[in-house]
Amino acid sequence: MNLPRRSGILLHPTSLPGPFGSGDFGRDAYYFVDWLFSARQSLWQILPLCDIGTGNSPYMSPSAFAGNIFLIGLEALRDEGWLKNEDLVPCTSFEKYRINFPAIIDFRTSRLKLAAGRFFETADETSKRSFQAFCLKSGFWLETYALFRTISEIHGPIWQTWPKPLARRDPVAMASFVSQNDHEIRFWKFCQWCFYRQWDALRAYAYSKGIDIIGDIPIFVSLNSADVWANPELFDLDDSGYPRTVAGVPPDKFSDSGQHWGNPLYNWKKHADTRYDWWIKRMKHMMDMHDYVRLDHFRGFQAYWAIPADTGIPARGKWMNGPGSDFFEAMKKEFGSLRFIAEDLGVITREVDELRKQYELPGMRILQFAFDLNPANPYLPYNYDHDTVVYTGTHDNDTTRGWWNSLPEQNRDLVRRYLSINGEWINWDMIRAAWSSTAAIALTPYQDILGLDSSGRMNRPGDKTGSWEWRFDWEQVKSWPSGYLAEMTEIYGRTYSRQ
């Protein structure tokens, strides 16, 4: 990619303020776009927008294509006439700075069901035609997803335990189930229609302000997903539909013991036999939604860590060859220009680096990893190539202030001397280091703009609870940071215009 100097903010929409327990595509998302514009930022990076799964993680979604229905702005549904003011009285369990997932799931699901019922009873012909057109356009994934979610509501989320005819997608059993549960199936389709209408409108607003969206595609999908249920031959499963091997990583900078993600691994030979048809559909879907796409766990395309499913111990895994250049040749043939950012963190070999450079994909550098007293450390700014996206930290890192508070003194001393600082404003010092670097793109989590400590951390890799819950409130946003960041962006040549 031809990468001009740019900068932006990493913030998932669930972390936005709002009256209904978590951020969504409502008015606060538009306020945030206005904040980005005032700070002269041209990029907004988000986490996967797909439905959440185990542990409320967007990386364990029940669908690689369906959007997170809890991001649907409820006030917009009221404005359409499908909800009433009395439906939108916030729950007393909602919190300003944390997402109470059980509370928002109950509240938002009940409101979406009210809206769906009124839509199918009262919607005008224009809205109905729009819904029908969306169902037709998205049918290749929507039908399976809506059916999967409906069966899950009745028989539980683990599809291997469903009645065998449904687990094995017997056509007669499926047709009978659809005829008996059409109302519920239509509800899930309605939610997806609302999600994509609102996302398209928000993205268009961001575009009008000169802001591009960087999306995020998890390399793996959840075992309990519509994708695995509908395409078991594309995954490394046994005859009962359970994985033989699962995904994870060996020990790295994020975890001393490695990580056990639990996702089923791909049967890459089957994908190659179809010339990566499922992946091409998935990539097209993602590129239609975003301007750039971060490829999560890029090194897994070259080689991936396979953990025996019967042990679940990361240290007992082994490296297996991924599809490599064959995969990216298929993507290039289909799409031409590849608007991908390679998440090349963790155990990176020469082969992984060569694969990334072969397809001219920018890699990632994390400033929090830079100060280990090794002058050859690739995360130190003087070692960057231009085709680099630098972050103060990612959603998997602690906040910069939290990182600084736990950093050993000898490393702190190096940071102070390297940046010529005293550490009092460490979050802004690190942002300045990123913005002033030679990396083409510089990004920082919004937590670092706010100067939050570890209480603002988004994810703790390896911990099964407590992640993905952080959100902010506008009272935390002072008046000066947008102007300060705008000035820094201008000084370091990161102002950007499409013209």
PDB file of all heavy atoms in Angstrom, residues 1 15 64 68 71 73 119 134 151 170 173 205 245 276 309 314 378 382 408 432 446 464 481:
ATOM      1  N   MET A   1       0.833  -1.196   0.000  1.00  0.00           N
ATOM      2  CA  MET A   1       0.000   0.000   0.000  1.00  0.00           C
ATOM      3  C   MET A   1       0.869   1.247   0.000  1.00  0.00           C
ATOM      4  O   MET A   1       1.946   1.259   0.573  1.00  0.00           O
ATOM      5  CB  MET A   1      -0.898   0.025   1.237  1.00  0.00           C
ATOM      6  CG  MET A   1      -2.022  -1.001   1.220  1.00  0.00           C
ATOM      7  SD  MET A   1      -3.166  -0.757   2.594  1.00  0.00           S
ATOM      8  CE  MET A   1      -2.156  -1.187   4.002  1.00  0.00           C
ATOM      9  N   SER A  15     -17.091   1.006  23.955  1.00  0.00           N
ATOM     10  CA  SER A  15     -16.497   1.825  25.016  1.00  0.00           C
ATOM     11  C   SER A  15     -17.013   3.258  25.027  1.00  0.00           C
ATOM     12  O   SER A  15     -16.639   4.044  25.908  1.00  0.00           O
ATOM     13  CB  SER A  15     -14.968   1.836  24.867  1.00  0.00           C
ATOM     14  OG  SER A  15     -14.429   0.551  25.041  1.00  0.00           O
ATOM     15  N   ALA A  64     -18.787 -15.016  11.682  1.00  0.00           N
ATOM     16  CA  ALA A  64     -17.737 -14.181  11.108  1.00  0.00           C
ATOM     17  C   ALA A  64     -18.311 -13.016  10.313  1.00  0.00           C
ATOM     18  O   ALA A  64     -17.568 -12.129   9.896  1.00  0.00           O
ATOM     19  CB  ALA A  64     -16.832 -15.027  10.216  1.00  0.00           C
ATOM     20  N   ASN A  68     -22.574  -7.155  15.911  1.00  0.00           N
ATOM     21  CA  ASN A  68     -22.957  -7.177  17.322  1.00  0.00           C
ATOM     22  C   ASN A  68     -24.263  -6.404  17.508  1.00  0.00           C
ATOM     23  O   ASN A  68     -24.290  -5.180  17.407  1.00  0.00           O
ATOM     24  CB  ASN A  68     -21.838  -6.557  18.158  1.00  0.00           C
ATOM     25  CG  ASN A  68     -22.143  -6.539  19.643  1.00  0.00           C
ATOM     26  OD1 ASN A  68     -23.224  -6.911  20.083  1.00  0.00           O
ATOM     27  ND2 ASN A  68     -21.172  -6.096  20.424  1.00  0.00           N
ATOM     28  N   LEU A  71     -24.756  -3.148  19.526  1.00  0.00           N
ATOM     29  CA  LEU A  71     -24.271  -1.861  19.028  1.00  0.00           C
ATOM     30  C   LEU A  71     -25.372  -1.071  18.315  1.00  0.00           C
ATOM     31  O   LEU A  71     -25.146   0.068  17.898  1.00  0.00           O
ATOM     32  CB  LEU A  71     -23.096  -2.076  18.069  1.00  0.00           C
ATOM     33  CG  LEU A  71     -21.769  -2.463  18.727  1.00  0.00           C
ATOM     34  CD1 LEU A  71     -20.743  -2.862  17.668  1.00  0.00           C
ATOM     35  CD2 LEU A  71     -21.228  -1.315  19.580  1.00  0.00           C
ATOM     36  N   GLY A  73     -28.159   1.379  17.853  1.00  0.00           N
ATOM     37  CA  GLY A  73     -28.626   2.539  18.607  1.00  0.00           C
ATOM     38  C   GLY A  73     -30.130   2.476  18.820  1.00  0.00           C
ATOM     39  O   GLY A  73     -30.903   2.508  17.851  1.00  0.00           O
ATOM     40  N   PHE A 119     -41.943  -3.400  13.954  1.00  0.00           N
ATOM     41  CA  PHE A 119     -41.536  -3.238  12.560  1.00  0.00           C
ATOM     42  C   PHE A 119     -42.383  -4.131  11.650  1.00  0.00           C
ATOM     43  O   PHE A 119     -42.930  -3.663  10.641  1.00  0.00           O
ATOM     44  CB  PHE A 119     -40.052  -3.579  12.390  1.00  0.00           C
ATOM     45  CG  PHE A 119     -39.626  -3.709  10.954  1.00  0.00           C
ATOM     46  CD1 PHE A 119     -39.356  -2.584  10.194  1.00  0.00           C
ATOM     47  CD2 PHE A 119     -39.518  -4.959  10.345  1.00  0.00           C
ATOM     48  CE1 PHE A 119     -38.980  -2.687   8.858  1.00  0.00           C
ATOM     49  CE2 PHE A 119     -39.137  -5.073   9.015  1.00  0.00           C
ATOM     50  CZ  PHE A 119     -38.872  -3.936   8.274  1.00  0.00           C
ATOM     51  N   PHE A 134     -31.881  -6.238   1.851  1.00  0.00           N
ATOM     52  CA  PHE A 134     -30.750  -6.637   2.689  1.00  0.00           C
ATOM     53  C   PHE A 134     -30.715  -8.151   2.856  1.00  0.00           C
ATOM     54  O   PHE A 134     -29.635  -8.767   2.749  1.00  0.00           O
ATOM     55  CB  PHE A 134     -30.859  -5.957   4.059  1.00  0.00           C
ATOM     56  CG  PHE A 134     -29.873  -6.491   5.066  1.00  0.00           C
ATOM     57  CD1 PHE A 134     -28.545  -6.085   5.050  1.00  0.00           C
ATOM     58  CD2 PHE A 134     -30.273  -7.414   6.033  1.00  0.00           C
ATOM     59  CE1 PHE A 134     -27.629  -6.587   5.972  1.00  0.00           C
ATOM     60  CE2 PHE A 134     -29.366  -7.919   6.954  1.00  0.00           C
ATOM     61  CZ  PHE A 134     -28.043  -7.501   6.928  1.00  0.00           C
ATOM     62  N   ILE A 151     -31.870 -21.833  16.659  1.00  0.00           N
ATOM     63  CA  ILE A 151     -31.708 -23.169  17.232  1.00  0.00           C
ATOM     64  C   ILE A 151     -30.983 -23.076  18.573  1.00  0.00           C
ATOM     65  O   ILE A 151     -31.315 -23.786  19.531  1.00  0.00           O
ATOM     66  CB  ILE A 151     -30.947 -24.098  16.265  1.00  0.00           C
ATOM     67  CG1 ILE A 151     -31.689 -24.234  14.936  1.00  0.00           C
ATOM     68  CG2 ILE A 151     -30.773 -25.484  16.885  1.00  0.00           C
ATOM     69  CD1 ILE A 151     -30.924 -25.028  13.880  1.00  0.00           C
ATOM     70  N   ASP A 170     -29.677 -31.799   8.473  1.00  0.00           N
ATOM     71  CA  ASP A 170     -30.549 -32.622   7.633  1.00  0.00           C
ATOM     72  C   ASP A 170     -31.603 -31.727   6.977  1.00  0.00           C
ATOM     73  O   ASP A 170     -32.312 -30.991   7.682  1.00  0.00           O
ATOM     74  CB  ASP A 170     -31.237 -33.686   8.493  1.00  0.00           C
ATOM     75  CG  ASP A 170     -32.233 -34.494   7.693  1.00  0.00           C
ATOM     76  OD1 ASP A 170     -31.804 -35.371   6.923  1.00  0.00           O
ATOM     77  OD2 ASP A 170     -33.454 -34.223   7.819  1.00  0.00           O
ATOM     78  N   ALA A 173     -35.253 -31.947   8.434  1.00  0.00           N
ATOM     79  CA  ALA A 173     -35.328 -31.396   9.789  1.00  0.00           C
ATOM     80  C   ALA A 173     -35.194 -29.872   9.771  1.00  0.00           C
ATOM     81  O   ALA A 173     -35.895 -29.169  10.510  1.00  0.00           O
ATOM     82  CB  ALA A 173     -34.250 -32.009  10.664  1.00  0.00           C
ATOM     83  N   TYR A 205     -20.736   9.190   7.772  1.00  0.00           N
ATOM     84  CA  TYR A 205     -20.490  10.437   8.494  1.00  0.00           C
ATOM     85  C   TYR A 205     -18.998  10.622   8.766  1.00  0.00           C
ATOM     86  O   TYR A 205     -18.448  11.725   8.574  1.00  0.00           O
ATOM     87  CB  TYR A 205     -21.273  10.441   9.798  1.00  0.00           C
ATOM     88  CG  TYR A 205     -21.148  11.742  10.574  1.00  0.00           C
ATOM     89  CD1 TYR A 205     -21.815  12.893  10.152  1.00  0.00           C
ATOM     90  CD2 TYR A 205     -20.357  11.826  11.716  1.00  0.00           C
ATOM     91  CE1 TYR A 205     -21.698  14.084  10.846  1.00  0.00           C
ATOM     92  CE2 TYR A 205     -20.234  13.013  12.417  1.00  0.00           C
ATOM     93  CZ  TYR A 205     -20.905  14.145  11.982  1.00  0.00           C
ATOM     94  OH  TYR A 205     -20.783  15.338  12.665  1.00  0.00           O
ATOM     95  N   THR A 245      -7.505 -30.173  17.260  1.00  0.00           N
ATOM     96  CA  THR A 245      -6.525 -29.206  17.734  1.00  0.00           C
ATOM     97  C   THR A 245      -7.194 -27.847  17.850  1.00  0.00           C
ATOM     98  O   THR A 245      -8.182 -27.566  17.160  1.00  0.00           O
ATOM     99  CB  THR A 245      -5.323 -29.100  16.775  1.00  0.00           C
ATOM    100  OG1 THR A 245      -5.821 -28.814  15.451  1.00  0.00           O
ATOM    101  CG2 THR A 245      -4.524 -30.392  16.745  1.00  0.00           C
ATOM    102  N   TYR A 276     -10.052 -20.911  -1.552  1.00  0.00           N
ATOM    103  CA  TYR A 276     -10.313 -20.016  -0.430  1.00  0.00           C
ATOM    104  C   TYR A 276     -11.630 -19.243  -0.594  1.00  0.00           C
ATOM    105  O   TYR A 276     -11.737 -18.070  -0.238  1.00  0.00           O
ATOM    106  CB  TYR A 276      -9.135 -19.051  -0.245  1.00  0.00           C
ATOM    107  CG  TYR A 276      -7.815 -19.769  -0.091  1.00  0.00           C
ATOM    108  CD1 TYR A 276      -6.934 -19.906  -1.172  1.00  0.00           C
ATOM    109  CD2 TYR A 276      -7.457 -20.362   1.115  1.00  0.00           C
ATOM    110  CE1 TYR A 276      -5.735 -20.596  -1.046  1.00  0.00           C
ATOM    111  CE2 TYR A 276      -6.262 -21.052   1.248  1.00  0.00           C
ATOM    112  CZ  TYR A 276      -5.406 -21.171   0.169  1.00  0.00           C
ATOM    113  OH  TYR A 276      -4.229 -21.855   0.298  1.00  0.00           O
ATOM    114  N   ALA A 309      -6.381 -30.678  21.512  1.00  0.00           N
ATOM    115  CA  ALA A 309      -7.615 -30.291  22.196  1.00  0.00           C
ATOM    116  C   ALA A 309      -7.823 -31.055  23.493  1.00  0.00           C
ATOM    117  O   ALA A 309      -8.449 -30.539  24.423  1.00  0.00           O
ATOM    118  CB  ALA A 309      -8.809 -30.501  21.271  1.00  0.00           C
ATOM    119  N   PRO A 314      -0.999 -24.833  26.393  1.00  0.00           N
ATOM    120  CA  PRO A 314      -0.271 -24.181  25.301  1.00  0.00           C
ATOM    121  C   PRO A 314       1.128 -24.743  25.074  1.00  0.00           C
ATOM    122  O   PRO A 314       1.574 -24.886  23.936  1.00  0.00           O
ATOM    123  CB  PRO A 314      -0.237 -22.716  25.734  1.00  0.00           C
ATOM    124  CG  PRO A 314      -1.447 -22.543  26.576  1.00  0.00           C
ATOM    125  CD  PRO A 314      -1.597 -23.836  27.319  1.00  0.00           C
ATOM    126  N   PRO A 378      13.314  -4.236  17.809  1.00  0.00           N
ATOM    127  CA  PRO A 378      12.616  -3.695  16.629  1.00  0.00           C
ATOM    128  C   PRO A 378      11.510  -2.716  16.968  1.00  0.00           C
ATOM    129  O   PRO A 378      11.026  -2.004  16.076  1.00  0.00           O
ATOM    130  CB  PRO A 378      12.041  -4.956  15.963  1.00  0.00           C
ATOM    131  CG  PRO A 378      11.943  -5.970  17.062  1.00  0.00           C
ATOM    132  CD  PRO A 378      13.100  -5.685  17.968  1.00  0.00           C
ATOM    133  N   TYR A 382      13.883   4.195  16.351  1.00  0.00           N
ATOM    134  CA  TYR A 382      14.935   4.365  15.344  1.00  0.00           C
ATOM    135  C   TYR A 382      15.132   3.106  14.497  1.00  0.00           C
ATOM    136  O   TYR A 382      15.878   3.135  13.522  1.00  0.00           O
ATOM    137  CB  TYR A 382      16.254   4.830  15.976  1.00  0.00           C
ATOM    138  CG  TYR A 382      16.912   3.909  16.986  1.00  0.00           C
ATOM    139  CD1 TYR A 382      17.412   2.656  16.631  1.00  0.00           C
ATOM    140  CD2 TYR A 382      17.087   4.335  18.297  1.00  0.00           C
ATOM    141  CE1 TYR A 382      18.039   1.837  17.558  1.00  0.00           C
ATOM    142  CE2 TYR A 382      17.715   3.532  19.236  1.00  0.00           C
ATOM    143  CZ  TYR A 382      18.199   2.273  18.854  1.00  0.00           C
ATOM    144  OH  TYR A 382      18.827   1.482  19.767  1.00  0.00           O
ATOM    145  N   PRO A 408       9.781  -1.873  35.793  1.00  0.00           N
ATOM    146  CA  PRO A 408      10.958  -1.858  36.666  1.00  0.00           C
ATOM    147  C   PRO A 408      11.752  -0.564  36.503  1.00  0.00           C
ATOM    148  O   PRO A 408      11.795   0.026  35.419  1.00  0.00           O
ATOM    149  CB  PRO A 408      11.766  -3.070  36.191  1.00  0.00           C
ATOM    150  CG  PRO A 408      10.763  -3.969  35.549  1.00  0.00           C
ATOM    151  CD  PRO A 408       9.751  -3.056  34.919  1.00  0.00           C
ATOM    152  N   ARG A 432       3.736  11.324  21.744  1.00  0.00           N
ATOM    153  CA  ARG A 432       4.667  12.136  20.956  1.00  0.00           C
ATOM    154  C   ARG A 432       5.731  11.259  20.288  1.00  0.00           C
ATOM    155  O   ARG A 432       6.106  11.484  19.138  1.00  0.00           O
ATOM    156  CB  ARG A 432       5.332  13.198  21.841  1.00  0.00           C
ATOM    157  CG  ARG A 432       6.260  14.141  21.090  1.00  0.00           C
ATOM    158  CD  ARG A 432       6.805  15.221  22.003  1.00  0.00           C
ATOM    159  NE  ARG A 432       5.761  16.104  22.483  1.00  0.00           N
ATOM    160  CZ  ARG A 432       5.277  17.146  21.792  1.00  0.00           C
ATOM    161  NH1 ARG A 432       5.773  17.419  20.588  1.00  0.00           N
ATOM    162  NH2 ARG A 432       4.332  17.901  22.295  1.00  0.00           N
ATOM    163  N   TYR A 446      -7.672   5.391  23.099  1.00  0.00           N
ATOM    164  CA  TYR A 446      -8.250   6.603  23.684  1.00  0.00           C
ATOM    165  C   TYR A 446      -7.946   6.694  25.174  1.00  0.00           C
ATOM    166  O   TYR A 446      -7.883   7.789  25.739  1.00  0.00           O
ATOM    167  CB  TYR A 446      -9.761   6.625  23.444  1.00  0.00           C
ATOM    168  CG  TYR A 446     -10.355   8.014  23.496  1.00  0.00           C
ATOM    169  CD1 TYR A 446      -9.820   9.045  22.736  1.00  0.00           C
ATOM    170  CD2 TYR A 446     -11.461   8.293  24.294  1.00  0.00           C
ATOM    171  CE1 TYR A 446     -10.362  10.319  22.769  1.00  0.00           C
ATOM    172  CE2 TYR A 446     -12.021   9.561  24.329  1.00  0.00           C
ATOM    173  CZ  TYR A 446     -11.473  10.581  23.569  1.00  0.00           C
ATOM    174  OH  TYR A 446     -12.011  11.839  23.592  1.00  0.00           O
ATOM    175  N   LYS A 464     -10.145 -15.110  31.735  1.00  0.00           N
ATOM    176  CA  LYS A 464     -11.426 -15.477  31.146  1.00  0.00           C
ATOM    177  C   LYS A 464     -12.566 -14.544  31.539  1.00  0.00           C
ATOM    178  O   LYS A 464     -13.645 -14.596  30.953  1.00  0.00           O
ATOM    179  CB  LYS A 464     -11.780 -16.921  31.530  1.00  0.00           C
ATOM    180  CG  LYS A 464     -10.821 -17.945  30.940  1.00  0.00           C
ATOM    181  CD  LYS A 464     -11.242 -19.368  31.257  1.00  0.00           C
ATOM    182  CE  LYS A 464     -10.285 -20.374  30.609  1.00  0.00           C
ATOM    183  NZ  LYS A 464     -10.676 -21.779  30.901  1.00  0.00           N
ATOM    184  N   PRO A 481      -7.128  18.319  25.292  1.00  0.00           N
ATOM    185  CA  PRO A 481      -6.401  17.285  24.545  1.00  0.00           C
ATOM    186  C   PRO A 481      -6.625  17.304  23.037  1.00  0.00           C
ATOM    187  O   PRO A 481      -5.699  17.007  22.269  1.00  0.00           O
ATOM    188  CB  PRO A 481      -6.917  15.981  25.161  1.00  0.00           C
ATOM    189  CG  PRO A 481      -7.287  16.341  26.555  1.00  0.00           C
ATOM    190  CD  PRO A 481      -7.867  17.704  26.420  1.00  0.00           C
TER     191      PRO A 481
END
